[in-house]
Amino acid sequence: MEGVGVDHLAFERKKSQFDVDAMKVVWAGSRHAFEVNDRISRLVASDPVFHKDNRASLGRKELFKNTLRKASHAWKRIVELRLTEEEANKLRFFIDEPAYTDLHWGMFVPAIKGQGTDEQQKKWLPLATKMQIIGCYAQTELGHGSNVQGLETTATFDEKTDEFIIHSPTLTSSKWWPGGLGKASTHAVVYAKLIINGKEHGVNGFIVQLRSLEDHSPLPGITIGDIGMKFGNGAYNTMDNGVLQFDHVRIPRDQMLMRVLQVTREGKCVQSNVPRQLIYGTMVYVRQTIVSDASNALSRAVCIAVRYSAVRRQFGSQDGGPELQVIDYKTQQSRLFPLLASAYAFRFVGEWLKWLYNDVTQRLQNNDFSTLPEAHACTAGLKSITTSATADAIEECRKLCGGHGYLCSSGLPELFAVYVPACTYEGDNTILLLQVARFLVKTVSQVASGKQPVGTTAYMGRLEHLLQCTCSVRSVEDWLNPSVVLEAFEARAARLSVACAKNISMAANPEDGFAELSADLSEASVAHCQLIIVSKFIEKLQQEIPGGGVKEQLNVLCYIYALSLLHKHSGEFLSTASITAKQAALANELLRSLYTKLRPNAIALVDAFNYTDHYLGSVLGRYDGNVYPNLYAEAWKEPLNDSVVPDGYQEYLKPLLKQQMTSRL
Amino acid sequence: MEGVGVDHLAFERKKSQFDVDAMKVVWAGSRHAFEVNDRISRLVASDPVFHKDNRASLGRKELFKNTLRKASHAWKRIVELRLTEEEANKLRFFIDEPAYTDLHWGMFVPAIKGQGTDEQQKKWLPLATKMQIIGCYAQTELGHGSNVQGLETTATFDEKTDEFIIHSPTLTSSKWWPGGLGKASTHAVVYAKLIINGKEHGVNGFIVQLRSLEDHSPLPGITIGDIGMKFGNGAYNTMDNGVLQFDHVRIPRDQMLMRVLQVTREGKCVQSNVPRQLIYGTMVYVRQTIVSDASNALSRAVCIAVRYSAVRRQFGSQDGGPELQVIDYKTQQSRLFPLLASAYAFRFVGEWLKWLYNDVTQRLQNNDFSTLPEAHACTAGLKSITTSATADAIEECRKLCGGHGYLCSSGLPELFAVYVPACTYEGDNTILLLQVARFLVKTVSQVASGKQPVGTTAYMGRLEHLLQCTCSVRSVEDWLNPSVVLEAFEARAARLSVACAKNISMAANPEDGFAELSADLSEASVAHCQLIIVSKFIEKLQQEIPGGGVKEQLNVLCYIYALSLLHKHSGEFLSTASITAKQAALANELLRSLYTKLRPNAIALVDAFNYTDHYLGSVLGRYDGNVYPNLYAEAWKEPLNDSVVPDGYQEYLKPLLKQQMTSRL
């Protein structure tokens, strides 16, 4: 995307066999999306306030202050340039630094929109969208994360004063983790157990003011702070994840979010006619964005590793010529190219999830809840496997960059540290897989009783066939058939689910059986979700895709994605007899030739992500491949190099070198 | 190991079914080793200078200065207490902070001992062992890591002055990465291409003074600095990994390390009668210590995750009772217990490597080089798979601690960041696996021509049997037989190696075949190395091991280690027909019951590591399990909490909240 100076990777770009500009549009999802991304990312890259220099070596206080500065500048630009909501979101995205505004716009505002009544929205949204208040989302507690129903914070209705009393009865009930809470937020949506007349009514959301709008000091009864350093340099340490305790804090009754459940003046609980299922619709939305983010983070890591693998040379020089580019080693290709393919695969399944969300939303509006369980299971599973795979892939890309990948200037350590929380937030990945498994086991039993499964579980409708079919592959080329690949994945997924269901049914009681078999169940869920991704990639290829050579490249990527999974999970494909050992070997052979096919296009395929050097934030991943002089220059920015002789020499090194202390050594 | 206050895990410790004190001795390797570890780790823990508080939030300069302080205090204590070499090493180990002294003692001194002549040792070792000079090991360059023969730094002999001229001819020839180089070292062993009369004589080591012993300023012709921030908070940022360039720096001829190759006054190269193979002996030693370190790092992560999994409760509460400990979930057990088993497995294989090193050394002294290639391949492979597995396992342990594992106060982020370089240094793990593969392929062909393989490849002598044997398991219990497990691992390893050898022989030329199949070859190497670890664990159990219940526990761990590998790599076991799908399912069933057997002993099995809370450095892993109050207390140490209203409020938050800027949103 950059265009000045010598391009050290020009020879690679000349090799490519497809229309990169057309691929950029495919990657972005539409010409419009491409255009917005391109424009906003350049806008951010050219603004000195948004520079990312030395973020890794700043102390926590400077780091946090700098984030406040960027966030306030971002808002200024959003206002000055009169950006649309889409553009503003992109601006925050390309600034590429977690900030309290993420939670304000991404959780606080949506919570009010989704759970507030019309009056509540009318009151609070204008304040929030003008940023006259800053809000966060205070759910997780020190003692409770995944188990939301176990939250200990209480909201007790006081009929005398028409107020709720928000209280933290134990240490473990302290709110803990909410981003933006520690230092920046003035308000929060606080989740607490509703108690009326000594009776519990489940966990609900309450809008609570935390800090004075005059001087930002915490209001009486509120203890608030930052929970301390987190993984990585920079990374999420730009965020003020917070701790919060309430000592009988009173709020007016109308600050409970009452779209679904209302508490009357008399302290009666009244269910509104708004369906509770709406919450699941929101979950589908949030998880869809997480899957898209996975493809962003993964593509970014892959872009860095692919470019650097083309720059880096090691071994293989005969007769004094240049050494071999490490990207030409099969070991490098067999680790790197499946990740490149995964980036595209996650992109397309993320796109499809947008469609799914719209579909679910429309149905909900028509009171059709029939597809909700399937959509919920599907998004839960895809969230789980794409985020886990992406976290692992970023670290793999770092290792593929050899020693230099360990430097912060490679961008990869920070990308890893800032990404990994995605495996835990919005549903711990392990727990999500078990939710999927529960749905799969249920689907198996429903199919047995004649019910037709829908959506991504539709294949279960052909259970009889899938349990006895055999794979027809006899030659390497036979694998180049989407329906053959698909059926192998369907057979594996179906057989694992059915085996689990059978084993559970043999247990003394189903719950114990489910618990005992939970590791197997997780594997069945993964198989099911990988099938979804493979099938959506194949569906994408059945659409028309403009641009010379674009479809051919996507085809190669699709087979690499599917067959590398088949290789990695060959134990399951073989143990379920979905394929034979011979067929696995043929798939492996095909995979090697696909790597060779992909090789000349590797650089262009990461160029198609259209990332600025600013966004990439990596010396190793520079567009122009001019790595070494810039690594060298980067080193001299290190604060420790401010002086030739280090601080501490006089006190701790000189005495050592001079005193000639004698030891027994 | 700690003993004050309430023990929140006492109920867990009461459950254990074996003699923990006896196991502590087994873990340490001997009563003597246990005693030294115990004494020195307590010594370090009780010394306020060695506290690790707030290491994560220090800026780079403070962090580095603090390390200089610790290193100098360590030396003071070593001298004052007249510690032995063993004790001094342990002291540095338990300080648990990478420092320049690691390279001085671990690389600089050994390089002189191993590669210096008697006169050179006599001159330099006293200076080094009294720390009157500080040395580092300058091999890696900006452009060359793994390919040592490709190093570009030159050492040109000038006969006129009887000197070598050390020079960095290119940017990529800059020394880059050496620890201790950037700020602390006064000297280095520099690896450079020896050039005499225009002719190259390979890469050799040279002792070069870098800084003045008077004021620590770099000597003329020497440019030196720190290469900047690396992965993680604290972590390796306590180390001054450096960059170094030479502009025609002259050193006397006698500063080339000449134990193996000598340069005479007349510029003639003379090979000494010391065998070059000695270098491989040193490699065996270094890699053996890396394998032991892997078991240290892994056991530490596992200790934290196991204890916290017993403290943390989530879900599963019926009738308002306490929730379930997360360690009771099968998903948690199936991820965590194999790691616990791996820690013990790596421990014992590390112990065996010490024996191997002694054996090789004795043979070398008798000019017996026959076992060297096997020993070299074996240590290369074990270094590769134990460090890769450990790096992954630390991150897995972090995830097993849920959200709180992401806090620096959990100790896991820093442990991961400080550990991962082990996958790259002393031989990149990918390259090492290919070296093993080369040896395996060679062994296969030698066996075919009648040569008897030795040591860890002895099983290849039974190739004919291993290629056609079938696994006899028919029931779950049948797996509880060491020879059955061993043969399955042998069959898998042998068949993968033979298949690779066959496929290579079908290629147009063997080198191309090897390159093309390198991903498969790596898998064969992993299979071979896992077999070694399993077999050494089994051998350990054939020895007498004192202590009530100790052997029973190790037996359970051994099967968990082997069968969890079998499950993870079932694709290879099945595709080579080493076991059947039914047998894989039986192994899996056994595995689940072994987890249940291990469960009551989990806490005691990590107590057996005998780690102080200081060394663990983790609130989640505290011996007393008193996690929540300490997490809370830890948060308030965060510098950002020095003020209630954050720095930056006036400039960046107040204007936002007050100005009512309007946007299009």
Side-chain angles (χ1 to χ4, degrees), chain B residues 55 57 141 176 226 239 332 341 373 389 452 569 576 636:
Chain B
R55 186 158 62 179
S57 61
E141 297 176 354
W176 187 272
D226 181 276
M239 182 71 87
Q332 192 84 355
Q452 203 51 24
H569 297 270
T576 56
W636 295 103

Side-chain angles (χ1 to χ4, degrees), chain A residues 120-426:
Chain A
Q120 287 176 320
Q121 296 192 35
K122 218 169 138 190
K123 174 176 176 186
W124 294 99
L125 287 182
L127 292 166
T129 53
K130 285 179 198 156
M131 297 207 77
Q132 292 175 292
I133 62 175
I134 297 171
C136 65
Y137 187 89
Q139 180 177 302
T140 304
E141 295 175 356
L142 190 52
H144 285 92
S146 299
N147 184 11
V148 177
Q149 292 313 313
L151 292 176
E152 297 176 79
T153 304
T154 53
T156 310
F157 184 60
D158 180 355
E159 204 186 320
K160 270 177 284 173
T161 60
D162 199 23
E163 289 171 323
F164 291 109
I165 303 163
I166 312 288
H167 187 60
S168 310
T170 60
L171 178 72
T172 48
S173 74
S174 308
K175 293 295 172 187
W176 186 272
W177 275 119
L181 168 65
K183 294 291 156 183
S185 288
T186 61
H187 288 66
V189 171
V190 174
Y191 288 84
K193 220 177 256 175
L194 171 61
I195 299 174
I196 306 177
N197 289 325
K199 207 185 145 211
E200 290 186 11
H201 295 266
V203 169
N204 285 270
F206 300 82
I207 299 178
V208 185
Q209 182 173 350
L210 306 176
R211 292 173 177 269
S212 151
L213 290 173
E214 285 315 304
D215 61 5
H216 211 62
S217 60
L219 297 186
I222 285 176
T223 305
I224 196 168
D226 182 277
I227 57 170
M229 290 295 285
K230 290 144 292 186
F231 199 168
N233 328 72
Y236 251 99
N237 293 304
T238 59
M239 183 70 85
D240 53 331
N241 296 88
V243 48
L244 168 64
Q245 288 182 319
F246 298 101
D247 180 7
H248 301 93
V249 172
R250 286 171 172 271
I251 58 166
R253 179 169 52 91
D254 68 1
Q255 285 180 212
M256 173 172 139
L257 292 170
M258 297 212 204
R259 187 159 174 215
V260 173
L261 185 77
Q262 282 152 23
V263 174
T264 65
R265 179 66 192 88
E266 298 76 30
K268 274 180 67 180
C269 271
V270 184
Q271 203 79 29
S272 79
N273 57 1
V274 177
R276 270 204 173 264
Q277 286 90 337
L278 270 183
I279 295 168
Y280 294 101
T282 313
M283 261 192 193
V284 172
Y285 175 75
V286 172
R287 288 180 182 160
Q288 167 257 307
T289 63
I290 293 177
V291 171
S292 291
D293 283 347
S295 75
N296 289 327
L298 176 52
S299 57
R300 201 169 151 179
V302 165
C303 180
I304 295 167
V306 166
R307 285 183 181 161
Y308 180 62
S309 296
V311 170
R312 182 72 172 178
R313 293 169 179 275
Q314 206 78 179
F315 291 111
S317 109
Q318 320 282 4
D319 53 59
E323 294 168 281
L324 214 57
Q325 291 166 280
V326 302
I327 198 173
D328 284 325
Y329 290 98
K330 284 286 157 187
T331 39
Q332 194 84 355
Q333 293 179 4
S334 67
R335 293 163 69 197
L336 187 51
F337 291 171
L339 304 182
L340 176 55
S342 301
Y344 278 89
F346 294 178
R347 194 71 178 180
F348 298 141
V349 83
E351 225 168 59
W352 171 77
L353 277 176
K354 276 179 209 159
W355 170 86
L356 181 72
Y357 170 66
N358 288 327
D359 181 64
V360 164
T361 310
Q362 276 182 11
R363 286 171 190 267
L364 287 181
Q365 282 163 352
N366 300 323
N367 274 312
D368 169 7
F369 308 123
S370 63
T371 63
L372 203 55
E374 187 268 322
H376 184 249
C378 156
T379 50
L382 289 174
K383 185 273 178 184
S384 178
I385 73 162
T386 58
T387 55
S388 286
T390 296
D392 293 348
I394 295 169
E395 173 61 7
E396 182 78 349
C397 285
R398 193 190 64 71
K399 287 189 185 135
L400 288 167
C401 290
H404 299 343
Y406 191 62
L407 286 169
C408 288
S409 55
S410 79
L412 291 165
E414 185 163 359
L415 186 57
F416 181 73
V418 87
Y419 188 76
V420 286
C423 299
T424 311
Y425 62 55
E426 288 299 319

Side-chain angles (χ1 to χ4, degrees), chain A residues 56-57 60-61 65 69 72 75 79 82-85 100 131-132 142-147 171-172 176-177 183 211 213-214 216 218 224-226 228-233 236 245 312 314-315 323 330-331 334-335 392 395 398-399 403-404 406 408 413 416-417 420-421 430 515-520 523 567 570-571 574 588 592 628-629 631-632 635-636 638-644 647 649 651-653 656-658 660-662 664-665, chain B residues 56-57 60-61 65 68-69 72 75 79 82-85 100 131-132 142-147 171-172 176-177 183 211 213-214 216 218 224-226 228-233 236 245 312 314-315 323 330-331 334-335 392 395 398 403-404 406 408 413 416-417 420-421 430 515-520 523 567 570-571 574 588 592 628-629 631-632 635-636 638-644 647 649 651-653 656-658 660-662 664-665:
Chain A
S57 60
R60 181 80 201 283
K61 282 183 185 177
K65 187 174 179 182
R69 176 167 166 256
S72 126
W75 182 242
V79 172
R82 303 188 62 74
L83 298 186
T84 63
E85 188 174 342
Y100 67 91
M131 297 207 77
Q132 292 175 292
L142 190 52
H144 285 92
S146 299
N147 184 11
L171 178 72
T172 48
W176 186 272
W177 275 119
K183 294 291 156 183
R211 292 173 177 269
L213 290 173
E214 285 315 304
H216 211 62
I224 196 168
D226 182 277
M229 290 295 285
K230 290 144 292 186
F231 199 168
N233 328 72
Y236 251 99
Q245 288 182 319
R312 182 72 172 178
Q314 206 78 179
F315 291 111
E323 294 168 281
K330 284 286 157 187
T331 39
S334 67
R335 293 163 69 197
D392 293 348
E395 173 61 7
R398 193 190 64 71
K399 287 189 185 135
H404 299 343
Y406 191 62
C408 288
F416 181 73
V420 286
T430 312
E516 179 69 18
L517 290 165
S518 52
D520 295 355
E523 289 174 358
H567 178 63
S570 59
L574 291 171
N588 225 13
R592 282 200 301 271
Y628 294 119
L631 266 182
Y632 189 78
W636 296 104
E638 162 60 42
L640 213 51
N641 288 329
D642 291 350
S643 63
V644 178
D647 188 19
Y649 166 72
E651 302 95 310
Y652 307 122
L653 284 175
L656 206 76
L657 291 162
K658 293 285 182 188
Q660 308 178 20
M661 298 189 273
T662 45
R664 268 173 72 188
L665 301 182
Chain B
S57 61
R60 181 81 200 283
K61 282 183 184 177
K65 187 173 179 180
L68 293 181
R69 175 165 166 257
S72 128
W75 182 242
V79 172
R82 304 187 62 75
L83 299 187
T84 64
E85 188 174 342
Y100 67 90
M131 296 207 80
Q132 292 175 295
L142 190 51
H144 285 93
S146 299
N147 184 10
L171 177 73
T172 48
W176 187 272
W177 275 118
K183 295 290 156 183
R211 293 172 176 269
L213 290 173
E214 286 315 304
H216 212 61
I224 198 169
D226 181 276
M229 290 295 285
K230 290 145 292 185
F231 199 168
N233 327 72
Y236 251 98
Q245 286 182 319
R312 181 72 171 179
Q314 204 81 179
F315 289 113
E323 293 168 282
K330 284 285 158 188
T331 40
S334 67
R335 293 162 71 194
D392 292 349
E395 173 61 7
R398 192 190 64 71
H404 299 343
Y406 190 62
C408 287
F416 181 74
V420 288
T430 313
E516 179 68 18
L517 290 164
S518 53
D520 294 355
E523 288 173 0
H567 178 65
S570 60
L574 292 171
N588 225 14
R592 282 200 301 271
Y628 294 118
L631 267 181
Y632 189 77
W636 295 103
E638 161 62 41
L640 213 50
N641 288 330
D642 291 349
S643 63
V644 178
D647 188 18
Y649 165 72
E651 302 96 309
Y652 306 122
L653 284 175
L656 206 76
L657 291 162
K658 293 285 181 186
Q660 309 181 15
M661 299 189 273
T662 45
R664 267 175 71 186
L665 300 182

Side-chain angles (χ1 to χ4, degrees), chain B residues 573-599:
Chain B
F573 283 92
L574 292 171
S575 69
T576 56
S578 306
I579 62 168
T580 64
K582 174 72 190 159
Q583 289 164 339
L586 292 171
N588 225 14
E589 210 178 316
L590 176 57
L591 208 41
R592 282 200 301 271
S593 73
L594 291 170
Y595 294 153
T596 307
K597 234 176 176 166
L598 187 147
R599 168 63 188 91

Side-chain angles (χ1 to χ4, degrees), chain B residues 386-448:
Chain B
T386 58
T387 55
S388 286
T390 296
D392 292 349
I394 296 169
E395 173 61 7
E396 182 77 350
C397 285
R398 192 190 64 71
K399 286 190 185 134
L400 287 168
C401 291
H404 299 343
Y406 190 62
L407 285 169
C408 287
S409 55
S410 79
L412 291 166
E414 184 162 1
L415 186 57
F416 181 74
V418 88
Y419 187 75
V420 288
C423 298
T424 311
Y425 62 55
E426 288 299 319
D428 177 274
N429 282 354
T430 313
I431 294 173
L432 292 179
L433 286 183
L434 291 179
Q435 290 179 6
V436 176
R438 215 170 265 282
F439 178 72
L440 290 174
V441 170
K442 203 172 155 189
T443 304
V444 168
S445 85
Q446 287 176 339
V447 167

Side-chain angles (χ1 to χ4, degrees), chain B residues 281-582:
Chain B
T282 313
M283 260 194 196
V284 172
Y285 175 76
V286 173
R287 289 179 181 160
Q288 167 258 306
T289 63
I290 293 178
V291 172
S292 291
D293 284 346
S295 74
N296 289 328
L298 176 52
S299 57
R300 201 169 150 180
V302 165
C303 180
I304 295 167
V306 166
R307 285 183 183 160
Y308 180 61
S309 295
V311 170
R312 181 72 171 179
R313 293 170 180 272
Q314 204 81 179
F315 289 113
S317 107
Q318 319 281 9
D319 55 58
E323 293 168 282
L324 215 55
Q325 291 166 281
V326 301
I327 198 172
D328 284 325
Y329 289 98
K330 284 285 158 188
T331 40
Q332 192 84 355
Q333 294 179 3
S334 67
R335 293 162 71 194
L336 187 51
F337 291 171
L339 304 181
L340 175 56
S342 302
Y344 277 90
F346 293 178
R347 195 68 178 182
F348 298 141
V349 83
E351 226 169 59
W352 171 77
L353 277 177
K354 276 180 210 160
W355 170 86
L356 181 73
Y357 170 66
N358 288 329
D359 182 63
V360 164
T361 310
Q362 276 182 13
R363 286 171 190 267
L364 286 181
Q365 282 164 354
N366 300 324
N367 275 312
D368 169 7
F369 308 124
S370 63
T371 63
L372 202 54
E374 187 267 323
H376 184 247
C378 156
T379 50
L382 289 174
K383 184 271 179 186
S384 177
I385 74 161
T386 58
T387 55
S388 286
T390 296
D392 292 349
I394 296 169
E395 173 61 7
E396 182 77 350
C397 285
R398 192 190 64 71
K399 286 190 185 134
L400 287 168
C401 291
H404 299 343
Y406 190 62
L407 285 169
C408 287
S409 55
S410 79
L412 291 166
E414 184 162 1
L415 186 57
F416 181 74
V418 88
Y419 187 75
V420 288
C423 298
T424 311
Y425 62 55
E426 288 299 319
D428 177 274
N429 282 354
T430 313
I431 294 173
L432 292 179
L433 286 183
L434 291 179
Q435 290 179 6
V436 176
R438 215 170 265 282
F439 178 72
L440 290 174
V441 170
K442 203 172 155 189
T443 304
V444 168
S445 85
Q446 287 176 339
V447 167
S449 55
K451 198 180 159 195
Q452 203 51 24
V454 297
T456 54
T457 49
Y459 72 101
M460 295 268 210
R462 292 177 286 115
L463 213 46
E464 213 169 319
H465 170 70
L466 290 174
L467 293 180
Q468 49 82 23
C469 65
T470 52
C471 175
S472 62
V473 168
R474 286 161 174 249
S475 71
V476 167
E477 290 71 31
D478 288 346
W479 272 117
L480 290 170
N481 180 342
S483 59
V484 166
V485 170
L486 211 52
E487 190 168 88
F489 274 83
E490 287 176 344
R492 164 208 182 204
R495 292 172 194 193
L496 289 177
S497 286
V498 168
C500 284
K502 251 189 207 153
N503 286 332
I504 289 173
S505 71
M506 289 180 337
N509 85 58
E511 272 316 300
D512 290 353
F514 192 88
E516 179 68 18
L517 290 164
S518 53
D520 294 355
L521 285 159
S522 303
E523 288 173 0
S525 297
V526 169
H528 171 70
C529 297
Q530 289 176 344
L531 163 63
I532 298 177
I533 302 179
V534 168
S535 70
K536 296 305 160 193
F537 205 150
I538 289 174
E539 275 176 24
K540 174 85 190 177
L541 288 170
Q542 283 155 358
Q543 299 165 20
E544 202 172 323
I545 302 174
V550 167
K551 202 170 206 170
E552 287 75 3
Q553 293 309 317
L554 293 177
N555 216 27
V556 169
L557 289 168
C558 181
Y559 282 113
I560 288 180
Y561 179 71
L563 297 181
S564 61
L565 281 181
L566 189 140
H567 178 65
K568 194 175 164 192
H569 297 270
S570 60
E572 294 169 8
F573 283 92
L574 292 171
S575 69
T576 56
S578 306
I579 62 168
T580 64
K582 174 72 190 159

